[in-house]
Amino acid sequence: MCQDWFQRLISSDFSAEGVLVLDTGYIKKRKVFCRLLCAFRYGREDIDICGLKLRKDLYTATVQVYPPPSDEKPKPQTNLQELLARKFGNKAYPFHIQFPDYLPCSVTLQLGPNNIDKCCGVDFKIIAFCAKSRTFDDKMSKRSSVTLVIRKVQYAPDNPILQPVAKTARQFLMSDKPLHLEASLNKEIFYHGEPVHVSIEVINHSNKTVKKIRVTANQIATLALYSRDKYIETVAVEETNEQVSPGSALKKVCTLYPIVANNREKHGVALDGKIRHEDTNLASTTILKEGNERKVWGILISYKIRVKLIVSGMLGDALFSDVAVEIPFLLMHPKPELPVGNLVDDDELQFEDFDRNGPMSVTDDLLVGAESIPSHADA
């Protein structure tokens, strides 16, 4: 194989369709396979401990692309696959790989500002390789395989959801009446980059004074591998020193910005799988399919708004207690308005060449069997 072109499609049915452009003269009597690999990395890829990599393969699936299996019925091609087939002619061979619905989404944990290696996260790869059988060896010659990193992304549901509200009342010692706290959001689903408006109402019938109000947006990352460990990171915060005296009330709207730009220096914040040469965002909320009883491994993400009142204690300002409520919300990507499959014109296709010798070039080193520079692309 001298070049590869992939269509990266992760849709509601969790499938990836694409096209391999092959040099059948180089392949000869061998076969070409496409493999989907989902892995959970919990350490640097170049570290080997007692012969074991710090990685757990969550799922693998391999399909034969060339020669097309005679015992399988060809699957319908998408519009983009048809366009690529017209562009590359008989060198283009389509492939289709189905994702099981229990796999997690692409997530990576942010390292410190001075670290660049990816140490922990869930990623997906499409590996195309040329071999006599579908068995893939990590030590396989680079000129016989090519790897493309893809992302699995969930889009926000479009069904209407009620306005989320949380209430609580706190009865203090030596106080006849309670302190009431109510917090609400204008909606439950927020898209990446949108501000989150939190409406707060405090009614203080107690004999205590509310000294401070602290509102935070917290990201909860559940690492589900051999155990289920939870890590909470504050990704947005707003504080107000407005006091609520006994017998008074307060209504206030706080605005939070849970965006990656405000969390660049925080180690351990979960991010969506990164695309090469492009920035990413905070990890999207994980929505598990109803009725799916299979255990999901990987990194599961959720978000909560926490509103906390700092209340003066029994000895004035020396001791404090707090009253708090939590409101879960979803932080996700909107569904794209125009799917990629709606492309109708060859001119709308844009290609990025990762091969130094140009697209579809059969070089002398391939003809003589010498080692060549592999093609790698990130999606």
Side-chain angles (χ1 to χ4, degrees), residues 110-301:
Q110 181 171 259
L111 299 178
N114 298 324
N115 297 324
I116 59 175
D117 294 331
K118 294 189 294 184
C119 286
C120 187
V122 176
D123 56 26
F124 292 79
K125 294 180 181 179
I126 295 288
I127 305 173
F129 61 95
C130 180
K132 293 182 179 179
S133 67
R134 63 178 60 218
T135 302
F136 179 77
D137 185 358
D138 290 336
K139 298 182 180 179
M140 182 176 293
S141 173
K142 291 182 178 180
R143 65 186 177 91
S144 298
S145 64
V146 65
T147 301
L148 181 71
V149 177
I150 64 175
R151 295 195 306 167
K152 179 176 180 288
V153 177
Q154 277 186 321
Y155 297 126
D158 51 10
N159 53 309
I161 299 179
L162 298 178
Q163 180 182 8
V165 179
K167 302 178 181 180
T168 188
R170 178 73 175 272
Q171 187 76 44
F172 296 98
L173 184 66
M174 307 297 291
S175 179
D176 295 334
K177 296 181 179 180
L179 169 66
H180 294 274
L181 169 62
E182 177 178 326
S184 63
L185 305 178
N186 57 321
K187 56 182 180 178
E188 187 176 11
I189 301 176
F190 294 87
Y191 299 144
H192 291 289
E194 284 188 337
V196 178
H197 301 291
V198 185
S199 299
I200 303 170
E201 182 176 5
V202 181
I203 302 177
N204 189 6
H205 293 305
S206 70
N207 58 2
K208 306 297 180 183
T209 299
V210 177
K211 296 290 186 177
K212 182 187 298 185
I213 301 176
R214 178 180 172 87
V215 185
T216 58
N218 298 324
Q219 178 192 79
I220 301 95
T222 302
L223 273 64
L225 191 58
Y226 303 106
S227 62
R228 297 181 72 88
D229 300 323
K230 288 188 177 182
Y231 300 89
I232 301 177
E233 293 286 347
T234 299
V235 294
V237 60
E238 182 176 343
E239 290 187 356
T240 175
N241 292 321
E242 296 183 53
Q243 297 189 5
V244 185
S245 304
S248 63
L250 172 68
K251 287 187 177 181
K252 183 177 180 61
V253 176
C254 294
T255 303
L256 301 179
Y257 294 90
I259 56 178
V260 70
N262 297 336
N263 296 274
R264 296 289 188 190
E265 306 298 322
K266 292 185 179 179
H267 177 86
V269 172
L271 310 176
D272 271 345
K274 191 174 182 180
I275 300 178
R276 179 180 289 183
H277 307 312
E278 294 185 19
D279 200 0
T280 185
N281 45 257
L282 296 177
S284 300
T285 301
T286 303
I287 299 180
L288 300 180
K289 184 177 180 180
E290 288 188 25
N292 187 2
E293 299 179 355
R294 182 160 182 159
K295 183 177 180 180
V296 179
W297 284 355
I299 303 178
L300 311 181
I301 303 298

Side-chain angles (χ1 to χ4, degrees), residues 37-163:
L37 173 62
C38 174
F40 185 4
R41 290 177 291 98
Y42 44 96
R44 288 175 53 182
E45 295 184 0
D46 58 347
I47 294 180
D48 191 324
I49 300 178
C50 299
L52 298 176
K53 296 289 186 180
L54 298 180
R55 185 189 75 186
K56 180 176 179 60
D57 294 340
L58 303 181
Y59 180 79
T60 59
T62 305
V63 297
Q64 180 176 324
V65 179
Y66 177 86
S70 58
D71 57 343
E72 294 183 8
K73 183 179 179 180
K75 293 182 174 60
Q77 296 187 27
T78 64
N79 291 348
L80 185 53
Q81 285 177 313
E82 293 176 354
L83 290 176
L84 292 173
R86 289 200 299 267
K87 181 177 182 63
F88 295 107
N90 58 5
K91 293 181 179 292
Y93 292 85
F95 68 86
H96 177 98
I97 302 179
Q98 193 74 23
F99 284 69
D101 55 15
Y102 59 82
L103 290 182
C105 293
S106 300
V107 176
T108 183
L109 297 187
Q110 181 171 259
L111 299 178
N114 298 324
N115 297 324
I116 59 175
D117 294 331
K118 294 189 294 184
C119 286
C120 187
V122 176
D123 56 26
F124 292 79
K125 294 180 181 179
I126 295 288
I127 305 173
F129 61 95
C130 180
K132 293 182 179 179
S133 67
R134 63 178 60 218
T135 302
F136 179 77
D137 185 358
D138 290 336
K139 298 182 180 179
M140 182 176 293
S141 173
K142 291 182 178 180
R143 65 186 177 91
S144 298
S145 64
V146 65
T147 301
L148 181 71
V149 177
I150 64 175
R151 295 195 306 167
K152 179 176 180 288
V153 177
Q154 277 186 321
Y155 297 126
D158 51 10
N159 53 309
I161 299 179
L162 298 178
Q163 180 182 8

